[in-house]
Amino acid sequence: MKKETRGYLIIIGGAEDKENDSIILKQAPRMLTDEDLLTILTTATEHPEETGQKYFEVFRKIGVQNIQVLNINTREEASHACFCEQIERSSCVFMTGGDQLRITSILGGTRACSELKRLYESGGIIMGTSAGASAMSSTMIVTGKDNEPARKCTLKMAPGLDLIDGAIIDQHFDQRGRFGRLLCGVTENPGVLGIGIDEDTSIKIHPDMHFEVIGSNAVTIIDGKTMQSSNVSELEQDEILAVNGVTVHVLPQGYGFDLKNRKVLRLKNENRANSNL
């Protein structure tokens, strides 16, 4: 895992509640002052004006006072001072859904990407939903088969923004039947954690690298370090995997996970518990 930082990552599985309690998005006004700037980054979507306006209205409704929408749609824009300085002034950046390859191919290696990392490493908040969630890891899932068993060579992965190391993030997890594709990713890379986040559910990663689950559904963790054997190296393309000994945790709100020590946490009153399960 990365060295401890002073920032927070709020990684959302998509389709978060925007109309009622909005408990996930309300993390922003709880953590920001009226002067802190929240930037809605719409790089992932091909409809930036519509998406940006929607989230602008949602964040305004739940009490965020200082909001801007930042549409970075080309690598030229991602290296331009006027765009990057807007990220630099931010205390929180929210990355919308869309296509995670748009995020990494447009931002990767640019000054804007460096500013995002600097924001996180200097104590800021990075939030991302759906594609904005997948892009946070060092290696991200690009495509894979939903609602199917794990099969070799059916998963396409690419470098992410590298805000969190040693993990693969998948979103819309239970709703789109993505257990098989995340299991495939972990079987092929057993040193990493697979973190599958359901819709209207998020993980809030604290500076000490533990996270808490927030939302109405669950987070599934697949730990490949305990794997005893698999047939992944023996298979032809598209054959079904055999895997033995991986560890799976399913955690709703009230639970958390220590990413450094790979231990489940039972949380109480939104604070980290003193004892592990």
Side-chain angles (χ1 to χ4, degrees):
M1 294 297 168
K2 288 185 176 298
K3 294 180 180 179
E4 289 187 11
T5 65
R6 294 183 290 117
Y8 290 81
L9 300 177
I10 300 176
I11 307 177
I12 308 166
E16 67 282 354
D17 174 26
K18 305 176 188 65
E19 302 295 332
N20 299 307
D21 292 336
S22 303
I23 62 170
I24 296 172
L25 297 180
K26 281 182 178 176
Q27 291 296 310
R30 288 174 182 169
M31 299 174 73
L32 299 173
T33 69
D34 289 350
E35 292 73 32
D36 288 332
L37 175 62
L38 184 149
T39 294
I40 299 165
L41 184 61
T42 60
T43 302
T45 178
E46 294 182 346
H47 307 284
E49 291 81 10
E50 176 185 343
T51 301
Q53 183 62 30
K54 175 181 68 175
Y55 277 106
F56 183 96
E57 293 172 359
V58 170
F59 279 116
R60 178 71 78 201
K61 181 180 70 174
I62 63 176
V64 180
Q65 299 298 311
N66 194 6
I67 311 169
Q68 68 174 356
V69 177
L70 183 58
N71 301 325
I72 297 179
N73 295 310
T74 67
R75 289 186 62 80
E76 181 180 6
E77 291 175 347
S79 296
H80 200 285
C82 70
F83 290 95
C84 297
E85 287 168 2
Q86 293 182 65
I87 298 175
E88 186 179 8
R89 294 190 297 109
S90 303
S91 297
C92 175
V93 170
F94 177 87
M95 296 188 292
T96 70
D99 182 349
Q100 53 264 44
L101 265 182
R102 280 185 56 84
I103 297 175
T104 56
S105 63
I106 291 172
L107 299 184
T110 67
R111 180 181 167 187
C113 186
S114 297
E115 290 296 340
L116 278 174
K117 292 181 179 180
R118 182 210 58 78
L119 170 62
Y120 174 49
E121 292 169 358
S122 63
I125 306 163
I126 307 292
M127 305 176 69
T129 186
S130 191
S134 288
M136 289 200 197
S137 56
S138 54
T139 302
M140 66 180 186
I141 293 175
V142 178
T143 59
K145 294 183 177 180
D146 297 347
N147 293 303
E148 288 198 12
R151 297 174 184 269
K152 184 180 179 182
C153 299
T154 57
L155 191 67
K156 181 178 179 182
M157 294 191 286
L161 295 178
D162 196 27
L163 295 171
I164 175 174
D165 195 12
I168 302 171
I169 306 292
D170 208 352
Q171 19 81 9
H172 301 282
F173 189 68
D174 184 64
Q175 290 74 19
R176 298 187 184 178
R178 289 178 167 175
F179 184 89
R181 78 180 202 174
L182 186 59
L183 179 62
C184 180
V186 172
T187 304
E188 294 177 356
N189 303 274
V192 305
L193 281 170
I195 304 176
I197 308 175
D198 290 350
E199 293 179 355
D200 192 37
T201 308
S202 67
I203 61 173
K204 179 180 180 180
I205 302 180
H206 291 248
D208 66 355
M209 298 307 292
H210 88 276
F211 70 69
E212 58 181 302
V213 178
I214 301 171
S216 63
N217 290 302
V219 172
T220 300
I221 299 171
I222 304 176
D223 189 347
K225 277 194 173 181
T226 62
M227 186 174 72
Q228 298 173 10
S229 64
S230 78
N231 65 348
V232 67
S233 63
E234 306 165 9
L235 295 178
E236 299 295 332
Q237 290 189 10
D238 209 31
E239 290 185 335
I240 294 178
L241 294 179
V243 187
N244 175 31
V246 296
T247 300
V248 177
H249 310 287
V250 180
L251 307 176
Q253 184 165 294
Y255 288 81
F257 195 78
D258 181 339
L259 290 164
K260 287 183 176 179
N261 298 304
R262 298 195 175 207
K263 292 183 178 180
V264 173
L265 306 170
R266 180 66 184 265
L267 306 180
K268 184 178 181 180
N269 295 328
E270 297 187 357
N271 293 319
R272 188 173 177 176
N274 292 323
S275 60
N276 297 332
L277 292 180

